[in-house]
Amino acid sequence: MSHHILVINCGSSSLKFALINRADQRATVTGLAEKLGMTGACISFKQDGRKVELTLANGSHDGAMHAILSYLDERQLTHTISAIGHRVVHGGEAFKSSTLIDEQVIAAIDACSPLAPLHTPANLLGIRTARDCFPQLPQVAVFDTAFHQSMPAQAYLYAVPMALYREHGVRRYGFHGTSHRYVTSAAAVMLDKPLADTAFVCAHLGNGASVAAVLGGRSVDTSMGLTPLEGLVMGTRSGDIDPGLFSYLAQVLNTDIDGVTALLNKQSGLLGLSELSSDCRELEAAAADGHAGAQIALDVFCYRLAKQIAAMTVALGRLDAVLFTGGIGENSSLLRGKVIKLLGFLGLQLDEAANAAAIRGNSGRISTGDGVAALVVNTDEELMIAQDTAALCPQAS
């Protein structure tokens, strides 16, 4: 009987899953639920080269989870699952590596909810639903923050009283670590270089976005901080702001800190700038039709991204390649091109034809010359989660 690992990746507005064969590490079934909590929520399944797309009448994370389990059950695949791996965004100071899930682990993850308010509830929903459906199976939490535990103190400390770090864990943690770990390893193979001899800036760009400086396969800096709100402009998140904005907005909007936090997490970023959408695809189409808000949103996104990439070279000391991944990074040739042109002073030269071709699963080099490379690398967080799960659950095979 074939044994699979079921990988659940609950994001703020999406839910990805993969049923991965332990033996060959290939996906038997994959799926993606998109626009959760928004109009037009849908889910797609891919199996044996065929794709099935369904609308989600209940466009919530819970509805998506039950749609996935129903699909697997109808195809008699549920009995082949031997372990389940979950992406968890924030491990705080409690988790420095992947771990088997029990009630204590769930409680510790829940305690980190204020640090990742858009993600942790969704992560826990995936865990609890899977534990209800498969109470007999071992389950593993794989943390986005774990990869960045190698950052030096000069990169992760805030310039606030040290007692806040010692007593409350106030520091920069970083996120998208599972993606950055996979992409930088894959990029080393693409460039035919030993991972230990590489210096990459990796840009994971989606509804959530971050860059990481990865030297010799180890994270040495990243753009996100205590929470996933810091750093780049994102779908609905502001990214870097003046901390003084909190008290100013609380005063002028007559709200509290929770109200300002919600505004910066859910009403800002591309959505707030464009006053149209948080979806990059919609904004590109609108900008092409002359929508001024969409155009300024994309311009701010690209400028801030290029600035962060350039800043990350300080942590590396040199730069071999800039890596683009995630839904936007893998598919938006327009935004990649704009960013690479802004970074021309670093030696990057855009290959227009290669950049235009690097969409819909195509990856590869999109720069010319022998200088700093620009690569599109398709991420595979689900495979990394499956590998960590298999390592912690060998008895389940």
Side-chain angles (χ1 to χ4, degrees), residues 33-306:
E34 297 183 276
K35 296 187 176 181
L36 298 179
M38 296 182 269
T39 302
C42 60
I43 188 166
S44 62
F45 301 91
K46 292 182 181 179
Q47 183 179 7
D48 298 327
R50 295 187 297 273
K51 185 175 181 179
V52 176
E53 297 186 22
L54 304 170
T55 58
L56 283 173
N58 177 8
S60 65
H61 289 82
D62 186 62
M65 271 295 302
H66 282 96
I68 290 166
L69 297 177
S70 294
Y71 180 94
L72 296 177
D73 195 49
E74 288 169 5
R75 285 152 184 81
Q76 299 184 337
L77 289 168
T78 51
H79 72 281
T80 71
I81 300 169
S82 59
I84 301 175
H86 297 267
R87 177 204 180 199
V88 178
V89 167
H90 213 306
E93 286 276 333
F95 301 103
K96 300 186 188 307
S97 61
S98 302
T99 187
L100 284 164
I101 294 172
D102 58 21
E103 291 300 328
Q104 287 185 326
V105 167
I106 289 174
I109 293 170
D110 194 24
C112 293
S113 290
L115 300 176
L118 291 181
H119 294 83
T120 303
N123 299 158
L124 288 171
L125 176 61
I127 290 171
R128 287 171 173 142
T129 303
R131 278 165 61 89
D132 286 343
C133 294
F134 302 99
Q136 77 283 7
L137 295 182
Q139 305 199 29
V140 169
V142 179
F143 299 91
D144 274 16
T145 48
F147 181 63
H148 301 297
Q149 290 296 307
S150 54
M151 289 193 298
Q154 66 187 27
Y156 71 71
L157 285 176
Y158 289 115
V160 297
M162 282 295 291
L164 293 175
Y165 169 60
R166 291 192 301 267
E167 298 171 18
H168 303 289
V170 175
R171 53 160 286 181
R172 303 182 66 249
Y173 290 96
F175 301 90
H176 297 133
T178 306
S179 177
H180 290 306
R181 178 161 57 115
Y182 177 86
V183 168
T184 50
S185 295
V189 174
M190 292 171 69
L191 293 176
D192 195 24
K193 290 175 67 73
L195 180 61
D197 189 32
T198 57
F200 295 141
V201 176
C202 181
H204 177 104
L205 309 175
N207 191 57
S210 70
V211 295
V214 183
L215 185 64
R218 292 169 56 84
S219 175
V220 291
D221 204 351
T222 190
S223 59
M224 284 181 167
L226 177 76
T227 76
L229 183 60
E230 185 179 351
L232 303 175
V233 173
M234 301 173 232
T236 63
R237 279 171 265 170
S238 65
D240 289 343
I241 59 161
D242 179 350
L245 187 63
F246 269 82
S247 60
Y248 177 76
L249 289 181
Q251 181 179 23
V252 299
L253 298 179
N254 191 29
T255 187
D256 56 13
I257 289 177
D258 289 341
V260 177
T261 300
L263 182 148
L264 296 177
N265 271 295
K266 299 180 179 180
Q267 302 171 40
S268 301
L270 292 173
L271 175 63
L273 285 167
S274 68
E275 298 183 305
L276 178 66
S277 175
S278 63
D279 191 307
C280 187
R281 295 164 293 189
E282 295 179 17
L283 294 179
E284 288 189 28
D289 287 338
H291 192 287
Q295 185 60 64
I296 192 63
L298 297 176
D299 286 346
V300 172
F301 179 92
C302 292
Y303 174 74
R304 292 271 291 275
L305 172 57

Side-chain angles (χ1 to χ4, degrees), residues 371-395:
V372 177
L375 306 177
V376 177
V377 185
N378 299 322
T379 192
D380 198 339
E381 295 171 281
E382 287 70 35
L383 178 59
M384 297 302 291
I385 294 169
Q387 289 177 346
D388 281 7
T389 301
L392 286 168
C393 306
Q395 72 283 357

